[in-house]
Amino acid sequence: MATPRFTVTDALDRLNERPQPRPRIAVHKFSSCDGCQLAFINAGEALLQLAELVDIVHFAEAGPMDPEAAVDLAFVEGSISTPEEAERIQTVRANTRFLVSIGACATSGGLQALRNFNADGAAGWTEAVYAQPEFIHSLDTATPVAEHVKVDLELWGCPVNARQVFQALRQLLFGVAPVVDRDKLCVECKRQQHVCVLVAKGEPCMGPVTHTGCGALCPAFGRDCYACFGPAENPNTAALARRFEGLGLLPEAVARRFHLINSHAPAFRIEWLDWQERS
Amino acid sequence: MQSTALFLPRSSLDALIQALRACGYERVLGPVARDGAITLQALDSASDLPVGVRDRQEPGQYRLGHGEGERCFAWANGPQALKPLTFAPRETLWRCERDAEGGLVFRDAGERNVPTAVIGVRACDLAALKIQERHFLKAPYPDPRYAARRESLFLVAVHCSHPASTCFCASTGDGPRAETGFDLALSELDDGFVVTSGTERGAAVVERLELDRASPAQTAEADAEIEAAARQQVRALPSRNLRDALYARLEHPHWDQVGRRCLSCGNCTAVCPTCFCHAEQDEPALDGSRTDHLRQWDSCFTAVHSYMGHFLVREETRLRYRQWLTHKLASWHDQYDRSGCVGCGRCIAWCPVGIDITAEVEALLEPTDA
Amino acid sequence: MHDPDRPVEVEVVDRVEETPTIYTLHLRFTDPAVAGSYRSRPGQFNMLYLYGVGEVPISIVSDPDFDGPVEHTIRSVGRVTRGMERLRVGDRLGLRGPYGRGWPLEAAEDRDVVIVTGGLGCAPVVSMIRYVLERRERFGRLTILQGVKHTDDLIWRRQYEAWQRLPNTQVLLAADVGGPNWPYSVGKVTVLFDRAGIDPERSIVMLCGPEIMMKASIDRLLALNVPPEALWLSIERNMQCGVGHCGHCQVGPHFVCQDGPVFHYPVLRPWLGVTGF
Amino acid sequence: MTGHREIRIEVPVLARVEGEGALDLIASGGRIETLRLRIFEPPRYFEKFLEGRGYGEVLDIVARICGICPVAYQMTAVQALEQAFGVEPSPWVLRLRRLMYCGEWLQSHALHIHLLALPDFLGFDNGIAMAAKHPDAVRRGLRLQRLGNDLIKLFGGRSVHPVGMRVGGFHRAPDPEQAARVLAELRSALHDAEALVGFTAGLELPEDDQDFLSVALRHEHEYPMFSGRIVSDGGLDIPIEGFPDRFRESHVAHSTALYAHLDERPYLVGPLARLNLNHDRLSAPARAALAATGLRLPSRNMFHSVIARAVEIHEAVLEAIRLLEDYHPEEPAFVPVEPGAGSGCGATEAPRGMLWHRYELDDEGKVLSAWIVPPTSQNQARIEDDLRRSLEAFGLHHDDDALRLRGETVIRNYDPCISCATHFLKVRVQRH
Ligand SMILES: Cc1cc2nc3c(=O)[nH]c(=O)nc-3n(C[C@H](O)[C@H](O)[C@H](O)COP(=O)(O)OP(=O)(O)OC[C@H]3O[C@@H](n4cnc5c(N)ncnc54)[C@H](O)[C@@H]3O)c2cc1C
Ligand code: SF4
Ligand code: SF4
Ligand code: SF4
C-alpha cells in the first residue's frame, strides 16, 4: 500500500490516556550495532532536556535499567534474530502503550537480514564462523519487529536521524501522530541542490527509490545513495534497475544494489530476486 | 527599454563584477563548474567562470567537457535556473512561541535578503521567472518573501549560443534570445561581450565601465550566433498551446506506458523553473516552547501531494505523471494564459531515467484506436 | 506587504461535543482589531493552526453577520484534527482566513434552496442552512436532502428534526442501511429527489459531500430538468497554504482554495469523477 | 561470614556498555569458583556478508558492525583494501584520515568518561541521574562528544556510519567553511580537554595494581592511530601482517564473542595499553598535562583507564587543531583505484583498542574472505582475569550489591563494545 500511514489511532489514544503527566519511556536493544540508540546518546543538550520532559526508565547503554517496566513509549532498536529475542519483544510490546521501531534493523531486519537469503540458513554460517557452533543460539532469520508484534510507528534509516527521532517524540508528547515522510530521497537531494550523481556521473544512485530522512548525505558527498533508509513509497525499482543496467552494471551488480541494508524489505527483495535470476 | 549595444572586452569581465559590487550587490553569483555541472556560485572574480567548459546533455545524462577558446558561457543551462534564489527550497515562514499560559505569539522568521547580482541568466530562466512572479505575486495574496527575494536580484542575462540537445526554447518562444526581464544582457563573442541594458539600474552599472559602442560587425555576429542557436535545437513541442489536445487525451493508453518508466522521484519538478508546489510543516523545539513553520519544495509526484486522509487522489504513477504534464502544458494556459513550459529541457536531462517531455507529447498526440 | 501565511491567535471560548468524533469550537480573536475587521461568507473556510502540529482548512459555520466567536465544526480524522479534539476552553490556536469562494448568496435570493449533502454531515452547507433560516424572507422553500451510510452516522439528528418543523422547510433523510429507529428513507440520497418535489425552474441546488455522491445526485437532478447552471457544489482537496500558492488543491485548472471550494457545476463538470484530478 | 557464604551474582544485562552482555559469578569459601562474562549479543555474520561484495561496498558494510566506532572499522578496512590493491593514499588523505579518527576518539572517549564511567566514580546509577548534581561535568562531556561528532560529520555527513570515505581517499574534501567552524569549536574546547585530564586524575579511583600485558601499535613518531607495528610490553614487536602468527582466538560456550590470546596469554588493548606503550609519543602539551597529574607510567592499575582516555581526548583535540590549521581542500579527494586479486591487512587503534582486518579479493575486487578481530574480543580474556583478581582483592565479604557494582565498574574500565565483539572470525587454526 502506498498510502502514507499518518494515523496511529488506537495506540495514540492509549498513549494520551496515560495517567501520569510525565511519560515513561524505554529504549530497548535487539540485534543491532547500537547506532540508532546513539540518536539519543549523541543528542547532547537535547538528551538532558529530554530527561526533564520524560522519565527514562530503561535504556541500558545510557544507564537506566528496568527492562520489564511498564512504560508509555518504547523505542526498539534491532532485529529479531534469536529465540530469546523473539520472546523478549513480546514482553516489550505487552509493557508499552506505544511502540516505535527505530532503524533499518528494527524496520526491515537491517544488514543482518542478509542471512535470510542464505540457502542453508544461518546454521550453515554459524558452522563456518564459529569453532563451536553448538554454543550459538540463533534463528535462521533476522526479521523486523513488525513481523513479531504490532508496531505503532516505524522510523527508518541506518542509522535513524536524530532529528527524525526527536521530531517524532515531540509530536507524540503533543499527543498527535508524528509526520512520516516517505518521499523519495531525490526530493530532498534537489532541495539541498546537490548535483545529481546519476545524471552527471552515471553513478547507480538508489535515491529515486529510497526513503528520505538522511538529508541526502551521499549525493552531498558526490556519491550514490546506497539506500540505507529503505524503500520510499511507490518505488519503481524495476525502472531504476533497468537504468542501472543501462549504466553498464551487470545483472549481478544490479541485484546487489537492492541487497544490502534493507534486503528484506519487500520492494527491494523482489527486485533482488529478479536480477539475481538473470545473473 | 532598449539601449545602445556596447562592447565589453573579455579582459573587463572582472570590472563588471567589481561594478556590480560597487553598486551594492553584496553577492555576485555566476556559473561555476563544480561537481560535474555548471551551477550558480558566489564569484570572487571572472577566473571562477567556466572558461572553455562545454556541456553535453541527453535524456538522463549531463556531462561537462573541455572545448577550445576562452569563452565562458559556451554551454546550455545547468541543473537549476533562478528558482532556488526566489522560491527557496526550504524556508521558515514564521515562528511561534508559546508562553506559560498557552498564549501564542507569531513572529516573522526575520530573514534578510542579500542584494544579489546573477551573471549568466538564460532567456528560458527569465521567461520562467516571469511565470513564477505571476504565480507568487498575484492578488489578493502576494507572497512577501518571494517579493523581497525577487526585489533583491539584479539579473545579467547571457543570450544562448550553445543550446544542448535537450533544449527546445525556440519552439516555446522563450529563447534563445533574452528579450525582457533582465537588467543587463550579454552576447558572448570570442574577444568579449556585446552588452545591452534592459533597465535604468542596468544602464547605471555599465555606465561605470565606460565602454565603447559595439561595432555593427560585433552586433551582427552576436545576432547570428543567437539565430544559429535557435536553428540548432533538435527538440520541439508541437504547439505552444496543447491545452485542448491534452484535455482530450486524459484516458490515453500512453499514460500507462510512461507510468511504467517514471520513477515518480520528482526530479523534473525540482529542476523545472516554473514548478511552484510546496508543502508546509512544523518543526517544534523539543521542550515545546517554540516552533518553526517551514515551507519546502514539494512535487506532484509525491504521495502527500494528493493526500486526503482516507485516500490519495493520485496513487498511481501514471496519474502523477499526467497531473504534471497536463498542468504544465494544458491547465497552465487556463491559470496564467500561457504554457508552464519554457523549453529549458531540464526535466529531460535531469530525469534519472531520461523521460523526454517532447517525446511523450508526441506519443500522446499520435492517433490511437483506443 | 501583508504576510498571507502568518496566522493570528484565537482562543477557544466554547467547545461543543457533537458526537464522539465531531466537535465544534467557538473561537475568539484575542486581538480586537482583527476581530473587528473579520468578515466571511457561508461556504468559506479558515486555516486553523494547532500549535507545533500543523494547519488544516476548516469551513466556517457561524453566521457571517454575527459578531460573536467564529465557529468551526470539526471531525477528528487525522493528525491535526485529532489533536484539536483535545483542545479545551481557554486554549489557543492560530487562524488565517477567511479564504475561498462561498455559496452564491445573490443568485440564491428569492429562489428555492435545495441542499444536498452526504456522509457524516457537511459543515459548508450547515452554514448555508443557518444563513437561510436567519433570513427566511429572502429565500423561497428550503429543502434539505441528506444521505448517510449507517443510521448512526446522522449527527445533529435533533437539529434536523427541529429544522423539519420550521415553515416552508423540508427535510428528507435516507440511510443506505435502515433500522428499527429509522423512520426515514432507505437507500442512496438520490432516492429522495423524486419525493422532494423539486421545482426545476425555481430551485438553486447546493451540494456537498463525497464526490461520487455529488456526481450521482447531479445526474439525477439533471434528469429532473434542473439546469446545470442552477447547481453548485463544494469540494475538498489537500491544502497547505489556502492562498493559491502551494499547488496541492488543484483540480484541473482550478485552485480549490481560491476558485472554490464552492464551484459552479458547469465550471467543474469536465473534472468531476475523473480519477486523478 | 565470608568463609562459607555462597555468592551467586548475576547481572542479567550490563548497563552502560555498548551492546549486551552479562556477568555470572559463583563463589564460595572466599574463592571465586566460576566467573563468566557472558556476551550474548546475537551473531551478525558480517564476515559472511562480506563475501562476494564489491570492494566499494566494504566500508559501508563494516561500519555497521558497530555504531560507536564505525570510523575505526572503515579506517582499518580501507587500509587493508589499499594494501591489497597496492594503492598509496596521498599524505593529504592520510592527514585527513587522522583528523577524522580524532573525531571518533573524542566522541567515544567523551561518551565513555562522562556518561558511562563517571557515574561509577561519583556514585550514581547513570549519567542522566548524575547530570542533576554535576551538570558542569556532564555538559563538558556532551560538548566534547558533540565536537567529536562534528569532526566526523565533516568527512561523512553523520557520525554514525559516515558516508564520505572510499578506497583511495574520500569521496569529497570537507567544506572549508565547515572545517573552519569546527576548528573554532576545537580551539574553544581545548581548555575543557586539558582540564579533563586533571579532573579524571583527581577522581578517587580504587588502588588495584595487577600484572598484565599491554598491546598496541607503535609508530616512529606519532601517537598510534592507524599506523605502526604491533608491540607489547613483553617485548613483542612485529609488523601487522604477523598478527595471526602470534595471536590466537578461541570460542567458549558462554559467549558469542571470541577470546584472543597472545602466545597463550590474555592481554590488554585500549587506551591504557596505548598510553603505557606510547606516552613518549604524545605531543608536548599533552605530555605536560599528563605530567602535572603525577601519574606514573606504565600504570598497572586498570582504573587508570579513565585517565588514559582523558589524556587521549586532550591529545585528539590538540592533534585535530594542528591538522585543521593548515587544511585546504584537494580535488579529487582520492587516488584512483585499480582493483585486482590479492590480499591485504590493516590494523588501527580504535578507541577501545587495536582492530585488525584481513581481506582476500578476486580479480574484480570482490571479497573472497574477510577476517576481523575487534578490540573487545581481544580484551575479553583479560576482563575475566581482571574480574577474578579484582573481586578477590576487593574482598568477597562485601555484600552482593557492592560486589556487583565493583564487578561492573571493573568491566566498564574496558569500555567493552559488545556489538563489536560479536563479529567473530572464522577460526582457522593455521593460516599460513
Ligand atoms: C475547503 C475545505 C473545508 C473543510 N471544512 C471542514 C470542516 O468544516 N470540518 C471538517 O471536519 N473538515 C473539513 N475539511 C476537511 C479537513 O480539512 C481535513 O479533515 C483535515 O485537513 C484533515 O487533517 P488531519 O491532519 O487531521 O488529517 P490527516 O489525515 O493526518 O492529514 C494530514 C494532512 O493532509 C491534508 N489533508 C488531509 N485530508 C484533507 C482533506 N480532506 N482536505 C484537505 N486537506 C487534507 C492536511 O494538510 C492535513 O493536515 C475541509 C477541507 C477543505 C479543503
Ligand atoms: S539500523 Fe543501522 S545504525 Fe541502526 S542499529 Fe541497525 S545497523 Fe545500527
Ligand atoms: S543524486 Fe540520487 S538522490 Fe539525488 S537526484 Fe540524483 S538520483 Fe536522486
Ligand atoms: S543518501 Fe542514501 S545511503 Fe546515503 S545516507 Fe542517505 S539514505 Fe543512506
Side-chain angles (χ1 to χ4, degrees):
Chain A
M1 183 185 78
T3 313
R5 277 182 300 154
F6 282 107
T7 40
V8 281
T9 26
D10 296 354
L12 194 62
D13 287 343
R14 274 199 305 277
L15 180 65
N16 288 337
E17 277 160 14
R18 65 180 179 272
Q20 69 283 13
R22 269 165 72 91
R24 290 157 57 84
I25 77 164
V27 179
H28 293 277
K29 177 193 152 66
F30 289 78
S31 293
S32 69
C33 81
D34 289 25
C36 286
Q37 314 178 28
L38 287 179
F40 294 100
I41 296 180
N42 278 343
E45 278 295 313
L47 178 63
L48 300 184
Q49 236 178 45
L50 181 66
E52 282 168 20
L53 294 170
V54 302
D55 288 328
I56 304 175
V57 295
H58 174 74
F59 189 170
E61 184 165 331
M65 287 286 293
D66 195 354
E68 310 250 313
V71 296
D72 300 304
L73 189 50
F75 290 88
V76 176
E77 171 195 273
S79 55
I80 309 302
S81 79
T82 66
E84 180 272 336
E85 288 183 333
E87 271 174 41
R88 184 155 56 91
I89 190 64
Q90 300 293 340
T91 320
V92 169
R93 175 70 262 190
N95 285 336
T96 185
R97 291 169 186 268
F98 197 100
L99 191 152
V100 187
S101 53
I102 54 169
C105 296
T107 53
S108 82
L111 191 66
Q112 58 270 11
L114 286 171
R115 72 157 74 157
N116 305 359
F117 303 89
N118 187 30
D120 359 310
W125 281 0
T126 308
E127 225 147 286
V129 206
Y130 289 96
Q132 324 286 178
E134 64 279 15
F135 298 159
I136 300 297
H137 306 283
S138 182
L139 295 170
D140 265 351
T141 53
T143 42
V145 175
E147 287 187 17
H148 297 261
V149 295
K150 184 172 180 318
V151 171
D152 302 312
L153 178 70
E154 287 187 340
L155 298 176
W156 287 65
C158 180
V160 280
N161 178 325
R163 182 177 146 199
Q164 217 182 340
V165 175
F166 279 90
Q167 281 302 320
L169 189 57
R170 179 64 261 173
Q171 298 288 332
L172 290 172
L173 296 180
F174 277 145
V176 301
V179 178
V180 175
D181 180 354
R182 300 203 59 192
D183 287 351
K184 278 120 196 162
L185 182 74
C186 298
V187 175
E188 181 60 20
C189 183
K190 279 289 184 285
R191 285 186 199 124
Q192 307 270 340
Q193 313 235 14
H194 304 314
V195 173
C196 176
V197 300
L198 199 161
V199 170
K201 294 199 208 161
E203 302 280 356
C205 183
M206 290 288 281
V209 296
T210 298
H211 185 310
T212 183
C214 68
L217 292 180
C218 292
F221 281 84
R223 67 174 291 198
D224 46 333
C225 164
Y226 55 93
C228 77
F229 270 64
E233 65 84 32
N234 188 27
N236 192 347
T237 50
L240 188 66
R242 283 195 301 272
R243 178 73 178 125
F244 288 171
E245 196 181 30
L247 294 173
L249 268 67
L250 296 172
E252 177 270 337
V254 173
R256 263 196 277 136
R257 296 301 286 155
F258 296 91
H259 196 60
L260 190 60
I261 292 164
N262 292 284
S263 59
H264 188 78
F268 287 178
R269 197 171 6 168
I270 289 166
E271 213 49 50
W272 172 75
L273 263 173
D274 192 16
W275 288 82
Q276 187 67 11
E277 276 166 18
R278 297 186 206 190
S279 59
Chain B
M1 122 170 223
Q2 194 53 48
S3 75
T4 341
L6 303 171
F7 187 75
L8 175 81
R10 185 167 293 284
S11 55
S12 300
L13 209 45
D14 260 331
L16 173 64
I17 295 173
Q18 301 307 328
L20 289 166
R21 287 224 178 82
C23 288
Y25 297 99
E26 292 171 34
R27 199 164 55 137
V28 179
L29 302 180
V32 173
R34 217 179 95 175
D35 300 335
I38 291 180
T39 55
L40 286 176
Q41 307 283 338
L43 294 181
D44 282 331
S45 73
S47 63
D48 293 336
L49 293 169
V51 179
V53 175
R54 299 283 186 280
D55 60 342
R56 204 182 71 240
Q57 304 193 36
E58 299 292 338
Q61 197 180 309
Y62 178 105
R63 292 288 186 282
L64 289 185
H66 264 272
E68 305 275 285
E70 293 281 284
R71 291 202 183 197
C72 37
F73 297 94
W75 36 267
N77 52 40
Q80 285 289 349
L82 293 166
K83 183 164 89 171
L85 296 175
T86 47
F87 168 34
R90 175 176 285 131
E91 68 181 310
T92 302
L93 289 183
W94 40 264
R95 303 221 142 92
C96 183
E97 279 152 31
R98 183 164 70 173
D99 62 30
E101 283 75 52
L104 305 181
V105 182
F106 295 90
R107 289 184 205 288
D108 193 79
E111 275 163 38
R112 192 184 86 91
N113 294 302
V114 183
T116 300
V118 188
I119 301 179
V121 183
R122 301 302 188 167
C124 54
D125 301 342
L126 292 169
L129 179 69
K130 200 189 276 173
I131 295 178
Q132 276 219 334
E133 276 172 15
R134 238 184 277 172
H135 176 73
F136 281 107
L137 301 179
K138 71 184 168 197
Y141 301 111
D143 171 8
R145 284 161 286 268
Y146 189 95
R149 276 192 294 258
R150 171 66 191 91
E151 205 46 44
S152 68
L153 291 184
F154 179 99
L155 302 175
V156 183
V158 176
H159 303 295
C160 254
S161 53
H162 288 69
S165 87
T166 43
C167 291
F168 55 100
C169 63
S171 73
T172 64
D174 296 302
R177 179 192 296 279
E179 306 278 0
T180 56
F182 52 80
D183 295 293
L184 288 177
L186 312 180
S187 253
E188 185 173 41
L189 304 178
D190 284 341
D191 50 353
F193 302 84
V194 174
V195 186
T196 54
S197 41
T199 58
E200 297 295 342
R201 54 181 194 170
V205 171
V206 275
E207 212 162 284
R208 293 170 168 261
L209 300 172
E210 299 179 358
L211 301 178
D212 293 335
R213 283 182 173 234
S215 70
Q218 285 169 328
T219 50
E221 192 191 339
D223 288 346
E225 287 207 9
I226 300 171
E227 277 154 34
R231 283 193 306 275
Q232 278 165 34
Q233 296 190 2
V234 294
R235 283 189 162 73
L237 278 180
S239 150
R240 289 196 192 164
N241 192 339
L242 291 159
R243 176 182 179 274
D244 296 339
L246 289 175
Y247 281 173
R249 287 167 176 80
L250 296 181
E251 304 303 336
H252 197 290
H254 190 70
W255 299 117
D256 289 321
Q257 208 271 355
V258 66
R260 283 193 290 276
R261 282 176 286 138
C262 172
L263 301 168
S264 79
C265 63
N267 268 301
C268 48
T269 61
V271 296
C272 176
T274 68
C275 275
F276 50 67
C277 285
H278 57 256
E280 297 184 15
Q281 197 178 307
D282 256 56
E283 206 159 282
L286 181 59
D287 69 0
S289 63
R290 85 204 131 70
T291 177
D292 282 357
H293 190 75
L294 309 180
R295 105 172 157 191
Q296 59 186 20
W297 288 359
D298 194 10
S299 164
C300 50
F301 285 96
T302 67
V304 283
H305 191 274
S306 71
Y307 176 69
M308 291 284 289
H310 47 301
F311 76 111
L312 298 185
V313 177
R314 292 176 285 279
E315 171 116 27
E316 296 163 47
T317 305
R318 78 187 167 95
L319 297 178
R320 300 186 194 177
Y321 188 83
R322 187 184 67 180
Q323 168 68 21
W324 177 67
L325 196 83
T326 57
H327 181 218
K328 193 105 306 197
L329 299 181
S331 40
W332 221 293
H333 286 279
D334 294 302
Q335 294 170 346
Y336 298 107
D337 291 323
R338 63 152 294 169
S339 136
C341 174
V342 294
C344 72
R346 288 189 175 90
C347 60
I348 304 174
W350 297 97
C351 170
V353 291
I355 293 175
D356 175 350
I357 187 172
T358 63
E360 303 313 323
V361 167
E362 209 169 296
L364 283 162
L365 295 188
E366 240 157 55
T368 60
D369 323 321
Chain C
M1 207 179 276
H2 169 75
D3 182 355
D5 292 299
R6 199 157 78 215
V8 296
E9 187 196 43
V10 290
E11 180 185 357
V12 180
V13 289
D14 195 10
R15 183 189 186 282
V16 180
E17 183 103 349
E18 310 281 359
T19 76
T21 58
I22 300 180
Y23 52 97
T24 299
L25 299 178
H26 299 239
L27 306 172
R28 177 184 72 85
F29 292 97
T30 53
D31 179 347
V34 177
S37 61
Y38 186 85
R39 289 279 168 280
S40 69
R41 283 168 73 97
Q44 284 193 303
F45 66 95
N46 284 323
M47 294 297 290
L48 291 189
Y49 168 65
L50 180 62
Y51 175 77
V53 180
E55 286 187 300
V56 285
I58 302 289
S59 305
I60 303 157
V61 290
S62 43
D63 194 291
D65 295 332
F66 171 59
D67 267 348
V70 181
E71 288 172 40
H72 287 288
T73 298
I74 307 171
R75 185 151 64 97
S76 290
V77 294
R79 287 186 71 233
V80 179
T81 50
R82 288 173 60 86
M84 283 182 177
E85 189 182 341
R86 286 151 47 89
L87 291 167
R88 294 294 175 263
V89 170
D91 286 345
R92 309 298 170 94
L93 282 172
L95 181 150
R96 297 188 284 133
Y99 293 131
R101 293 201 193 151
W103 297 108
L105 301 178
E106 294 74 18
E109 293 230 347
D110 297 328
R111 305 184 63 177
D112 288 352
V113 178
V114 180
I115 305 265
V116 183
T117 104
L120 291 173
C122 198
V125 292
V126 172
S127 61
M128 191 61 205
I129 294 170
R130 290 202 195 162
Y131 188 86
V132 172
L133 293 175
E134 278 293 317
R135 297 161 188 78
R136 205 60 200 83
E137 67 296 347
R138 283 162 48 188
F139 301 91
R141 191 163 66 132
L142 173 65
T143 301
I144 301 166
L145 309 177
Q146 158 112 35
V148 290
K149 256 208 192 86
H150 305 284
T151 58
D152 295 348
D153 292 346
L154 183 69
I155 60 157
W156 296 317
R157 189 154 167 175
R158 240 182 280 136
Q159 170 98 74
Y160 279 95
E161 282 158 3
W163 287 337
Q164 172 81 77
R165 289 190 289 273
L166 296 172
N168 211 11
T169 304
Q170 184 187 16
V171 176
L172 294 175
L173 303 169
D176 287 3
V177 192
N181 289 323
W182 187 253
Y184 312 106
S185 307
V186 174
K188 297 279 176 205
V189 69
T190 42
V191 306
L192 302 173
F193 290 119
D194 299 318
R195 291 185 37 213
I198 296 166
D199 178 347
E201 310 273 283
R202 272 192 55 79
S203 297
I204 182 166
V205 186
M206 304 182 187
L207 303 104
C208 172
E211 280 168 39
I212 346 169
M213 175 289 262
M214 291 198 280
K215 182 103 179 33
S217 301
I218 287 169
D219 289 345
R220 189 78 203 109
L221 288 159
L222 293 173
L224 291 171
N225 288 324
V226 179
E229 291 70 32
L231 304 177
W232 297 79
L233 63 164
S234 175
I235 64 165
E236 286 181 9
R237 281 296 176 272
N238 185 306
M239 273 177 204
Q240 304 285 304
C241 73
V243 293
H245 292 159
C246 78
H248 285 65
C249 69
Q250 294 175 86
V251 174
H254 309 294
F255 290 98
V256 173
C257 66
Q258 295 287 288
D259 307 334
V262 174
F263 284 94
H264 202 187
Y265 168 63
V267 168
L268 210 57
R269 179 168 39 198
W271 307 104
L272 209 58
V274 185
T275 317
F277 284 101
Chain D
M1 69 169 276
T2 43
H4 303 291
R5 185 174 63 135
E6 174 149 315
I7 308 171
R8 253 192 116 83
I9 292 181
E10 287 181 31
V11 183
V13 177
L14 288 164
R16 286 183 275 133
V17 300
E18 289 97 9
E20 303 215 323
L23 170 64
D24 295 347
L25 173 70
I26 301 174
S28 71
R31 306 258 340 141
I32 292 178
E33 276 175 9
T34 313
L35 184 144
R36 284 191 300 221
L37 173 62
R38 279 191 296 132
I39 290 186
F40 50 76
E41 182 79 13
R44 286 168 74 222
Y45 305 101
F46 272 81
E47 285 152 320
K48 276 292 173 193
F49 303 154
L50 283 162
E51 290 174 11
R53 306 301 307 206
Y55 73 95
E57 296 173 293
V58 171
L59 303 191
D60 296 326
I61 296 177
V62 294
R64 267 95 185 161
I65 292 175
C66 176
I68 323 279
C69 51
V71 176
Y73 281 89
Q74 294 188 330
M75 289 287 174
T76 316
V78 86
Q79 206 177 70
L81 295 171
E82 284 167 357
Q83 194 194 69
F85 299 146
V87 174
E88 281 283 333
S90 69
W92 178 84
V93 164
L94 293 177
R95 272 204 310 280
L96 291 195
R97 283 191 182 155
R98 196 167 169 86
L99 184 55
M100 186 180 184
Y101 220 152
C102 284
E104 184 153 285
W105 278 26
L106 203 50
Q107 86 45 44
S108 176
H109 282 353
L111 168 72
H112 182 263
I113 294 177
H114 295 89
L115 276 181
L116 311 187
L118 214 46
D120 285 335
F121 304 124
L122 297 182
F124 291 87
D125 260 0
N126 61 70
I128 299 167
M130 192 177 74
K133 279 273 160 45
H134 299 273
D136 294 344
V138 172
R139 290 216 152 80
R140 175 186 60 208
L142 294 174
R143 272 199 306 276
L144 288 167
Q145 187 195 354
R146 198 200 59 215
L147 189 50
N149 289 330
D150 287 351
L151 251 178
I152 300 172
K153 282 185 197 161
L154 262 186
F155 297 91
R158 59 185 176 199
S159 59
V160 180
H161 312 332
V163 302
M165 277 240 272
R166 61 179 285 164
V167 181
F170 293 94
H171 284 284
R172 132 152 329 150
D175 170 48
E177 272 175 39
Q178 213 182 328
R181 276 198 295 278
V182 176
L183 176 59
E185 277 181 58
L186 280 163
R187 286 198 176 114
S188 60
L190 188 55
H191 174 77
D192 271 355
E194 189 180 335
L196 186 61
V197 177
F199 171 85
T200 50
L203 292 169
E204 265 183 53
L205 302 173
E207 290 294 335
D208 183 22
D209 274 8
Q210 3 181 329
D211 188 27
F212 55 81
L213 191 62
S214 294
V215 172
L217 292 177
R218 184 160 171 87
H219 184 267
E220 298 104 79
H221 48 267
E222 288 171 353
Y223 194 74
M225 217 170 233
F226 62 79
S227 39
R229 293 166 63 84
I230 302 172
V231 302
S232 79
D233 44 15
L236 181 81
D237 184 355
I238 56 170
I240 61 170
E241 293 74 16
F243 181 87
D245 302 334
R246 303 294 291 274
F247 294 81
R248 287 252 187 296
E249 293 174 289
S250 56
H251 183 199
V252 296
H254 62 260
S255 173
T256 50
L258 297 174
Y259 280 61
H261 290 86
L262 163 59
D263 298 338
E264 319 307 326
R265 275 183 69 191
Y267 61 96
L268 174 75
V269 296
L272 190 60
R274 279 195 294 262
L275 195 65
N276 275 345
L277 293 164
N278 289 287
H279 54 93
D280 56 334
R281 296 285 189 262
L282 288 168
S283 62
R287 236 180 303 145
L290 174 61
T293 65
L295 182 75
R296 276 222 299 280
L297 290 170
S299 160
R300 295 280 134 217
N301 182 354
M302 270 310 299
F303 290 99
H304 288 160
S305 296
V306 67
I307 308 174
R309 278 189 193 92
V311 171
E312 291 192 339
I313 283 181
H314 188 206
E315 176 73 8
V317 171
L318 288 162
E319 180 78 347
I321 292 174
R322 186 180 69 81
L323 291 165
L324 263 175
E325 263 168 350
D326 64 356
Y327 170 70
H328 57 93
E330 267 182 26
E331 255 338 301
F334 55 89
V335 291
V337 173
E338 211 36 75
S343 67
C345 71
T348 73
E349 285 289 348
R352 282 158 199 77
M354 193 174 66
L355 172 58
W356 190 88
H357 290 209
R358 184 171 190 283
Y359 299 89
E360 267 179 72
L361 302 125
D362 70 9
D363 47 7
E364 292 168 52
K366 277 201 218 152
V367 177
L368 291 170
S369 69
W371 185 4
I372 296 171
V373 187
T376 295
S377 54
Q378 300 185 64
N379 274 342
Q380 204 178 342
R382 165 89 269 270
I383 299 175
E384 286 189 0
D385 235 29
D386 184 352
L387 276 169
R388 201 175 277 277
R389 285 172 211 213
S390 304
L391 289 178
E392 284 183 1
F394 178 58
L396 294 174
H397 59 278
H398 285 92
D399 66 21
D400 285 8
D401 278 345
L403 281 175
R404 177 183 305 123
L405 180 64
R406 175 53 70 105
E408 287 188 84
T409 307
V410 165
I411 293 169
R412 280 194 284 266
N413 273 333
Y414 296 82
D415 191 10
C417 180
I418 288 170
S419 342
C420 290
T422 51
H423 313 296
F424 15 76
L425 348 163
K426 206 170 213 155
V427 179
R428 279 165 271 214
V429 180
Q430 267 311 335
R431 284 183 64 85
H432 296 291

